[in-house]
Amino acid sequence: MITYKEWRKTYVASDVQGLYIKYNAQGHSQPIDAVTVSEASGYGLLASVLADHKDDFDQFLSFYHHYENSQGLMCWQQVLREGKIFTNSDPDANATSSAPDGDLDAAYALLLAGRKWQHSAYTDRGLKICAALWTWCINKDTFITNLGDWCMTGTGLQANAPCNKYHFVSRASDYMLTHFQLFSEEDTERKMEWKQVLDSTITVLQDQLALHPQTGLVADFLVWSPSEKRYKPAEGKILEKDNDGEYGWNSCRVPWRLAVYYHQSRDKRILPLLQAQLEFFERQDVISAGYKLDGTAMETYSNIAFQAPVWCLFKVMGSKKATKVAKQIEDMRKGGHGSYYGESVEVLAALQLQHS
């Protein structure tokens, strides 16, 4: 698996504001001059604290801090124009708003750093982000993550939505149970609230298993059903694409996040879902870059972003097929198919299992 040193050499760059992750080196994201996102900053902070690289951590934190918005969360996308990096100001980008995943990883990394390096300033900074996440990114009716601070402020792309339907939409890749558990331990002011977020998120995941017990797959986007009083897979396009309700480029991270949580906590509530995913993926000769929730492959190709989370799941669950998936990842890399997204998930999964 890729090492921190190898990952850093490939994807980390420096700027006057600090270190950042080059998420768009291949030019696949829009706009073409986008250079990084809050998700990537969260990955950088988490990878550097797990790898015990304090200097890198401080520089990632400097960059994160510089691009905070008025809610105390990181603006979600930065661009490089005329030699300078700044938050994307394009009217349709909504880039001054947040996306929860980067801030969740940032807060978690800071709390880990406070423990690892015995530095209260990191803990205090992490708690401030926890407070902002609680205020802006948690639905207080369901105790589940929304899609970002813009869901509550009514600003940006969805400004005319009635305050705001996206507040009741959730991205399963934000279900970071390890983070919610640590927040409940460290954020004493909101201890019970974070415990409720953890418990409610596990309930949502159990509901998804009940819907698709043969696979355990979870959709990219889930939508609250007032009549059924539960979250269900999106029907058609809810935010990004027509298959928002399938297992795609967001929820491919779910096996990784949940496997790490189980590895650390041994919380039996999540075990049936992991067992269903384990049995499903062990039946796959090739891990497709997307599935319908019934297990039908949507693509004929694979990607490290889909392989690395399954490798993590296999390692945690003791599957003999972990070695096979690790080889498939190396073959992808040797074939020139490495990328920021997949290899960032890969290095984080490897580091988390190594240091848990």
Side-chain angles (χ1 to χ4, degrees), residues 1-2 7 11 26 247-249 252-253 255-256 286-290 301-312 325-349:
M1 305 298 283
I2 194 170
W7 172 82
Y11 297 110
Q26 296 169 318
Y247 178 87
W249 289 90
C252 64
R253 292 172 283 184
W256 155 47
V286 175
I287 299 167
S288 171
Y301 66 92
S302 190
N303 187 280
I304 294 175
F306 288 80
Q307 295 169 325
V310 173
W311 170 84
C312 184
V325 176
K327 184 179 184 305
Q328 290 173 341
I329 291 172
E330 290 303 324
D331 289 344
M332 289 284 287
R333 192 170 9 258
K334 290 177 181 177
H337 300 296
S339 66
Y340 143 76
Y341 187 40
E343 290 182 303
S344 293
V345 171
E346 179 190 357
V347 75
L348 285 169

Side-chain angles (χ1 to χ4, degrees), residues 205-226:
L205 290 164
Q206 291 171 332
D207 287 343
Q208 306 317 299
L209 175 61
L211 291 171
H212 298 282
Q214 74 277 25
T215 66
L217 297 178
V218 182
D220 277 354
F221 292 93
L222 304 175
V223 182
W224 174 253
S225 169

Side-chain angles (χ1 to χ4, degrees), residues 92-347:
D92 62 348
N94 200 20
T96 58
S97 65
S98 74
D101 55 351
D103 298 301
L104 286 165
D105 275 333
Y108 180 69
L110 280 157
L111 296 179
L112 289 181
R115 289 184 173 187
K116 178 188 285 281
W117 295 315
Q118 295 295 298
H119 197 333
S120 62
Y122 292 139
T123 303
D124 292 344
R125 185 72 190 85
L127 293 176
K128 287 182 179 179
I129 301 174
C130 283
L133 284 163
W134 169 252
T135 299
W136 296 103
C137 298
I138 302 296
N139 184 312
K140 307 308 186 296
D141 295 305
T142 64
F143 291 92
I144 298 298
T145 50
N146 63 22
L147 299 182
D149 57 10
W150 56 273
C151 298
M152 295 185 66
T153 60
T155 60
L157 289 177
Q158 316 302 338
N160 296 321
C163 190
N164 176 317
K165 75 173 185 179
Y166 293 93
H167 188 44
F168 288 88
V169 179
S170 191
R171 186 185 285 108
S173 55
D174 296 334
Y175 295 173
M176 304 179 196
L177 305 184
T178 51
H179 300 31
F180 303 149
Q181 177 64 47
L182 186 60
F183 297 171
S184 73
E185 296 170 7
E186 294 282 348
D187 187 6
T188 55
E189 185 176 341
R190 285 160 289 271
K191 177 181 179 68
M192 296 310 298
E193 287 87 344
W194 287 118
K195 181 67 166 59
Q196 183 65 59
V197 172
L198 174 64
D199 292 343
S200 296
T201 304
I202 290 175
T203 297
V204 170
L205 290 164
Q206 291 171 332
D207 287 343
Q208 306 317 299
L209 175 61
L211 291 171
H212 298 282
Q214 74 277 25
T215 66
L217 297 178
V218 182
D220 277 354
F221 292 93
L222 304 175
V223 182
W224 174 253
S225 169
S227 61
E228 299 184 35
K229 298 188 182 305
R230 63 175 176 172
Y231 280 87
K232 298 180 66 177
E235 296 181 4
K237 182 178 179 179
I238 191 70
L239 185 71
E240 294 182 357
K241 54 191 182 302
D242 289 340
N243 57 355
D244 279 347
E246 308 296 352
Y247 178 87
W249 289 90
N250 285 297
S251 59
C252 64
R253 292 172 283 184
V254 170
W256 155 47
R257 297 288 195 182
L258 299 188
V260 170
Y261 173 71
Y262 182 71
H263 181 64
Q264 294 180 358
S265 70
R266 295 296 161 178
D267 188 336
K268 293 182 179 179
R269 294 176 295 173
I270 209 68
L271 184 57
L273 178 62
L274 292 176
Q275 289 173 327
Q277 291 181 347
L278 173 68
E279 292 171 7
F280 170 73
F281 283 116
E282 283 190 326
R283 296 195 298 268
Q284 309 303 305
D285 290 330
V286 175
I287 299 167
S288 171
Y291 289 92
K292 293 185 179 298
L293 299 184
D294 66 5
T296 303
M298 295 193 298
E299 304 291 350
T300 58
Y301 66 92
S302 190
N303 187 280
I304 294 175
F306 288 80
Q307 295 169 325
V310 173
W311 170 84
C312 184
L313 172 69
F314 283 176
K315 289 289 288 185
V316 169
M317 301 297 285
S319 172
K320 295 179 180 179
K321 293 196 173 183
T323 301
K324 176 183 176 181
V325 176
K327 184 179 184 305
Q328 290 173 341
I329 291 172
E330 290 303 324
D331 289 344
M332 289 284 287
R333 192 170 9 258
K334 290 177 181 177
H337 300 296
S339 66
Y340 143 76
Y341 187 40
E343 290 182 303
S344 293
V345 171
E346 179 190 357
V347 75

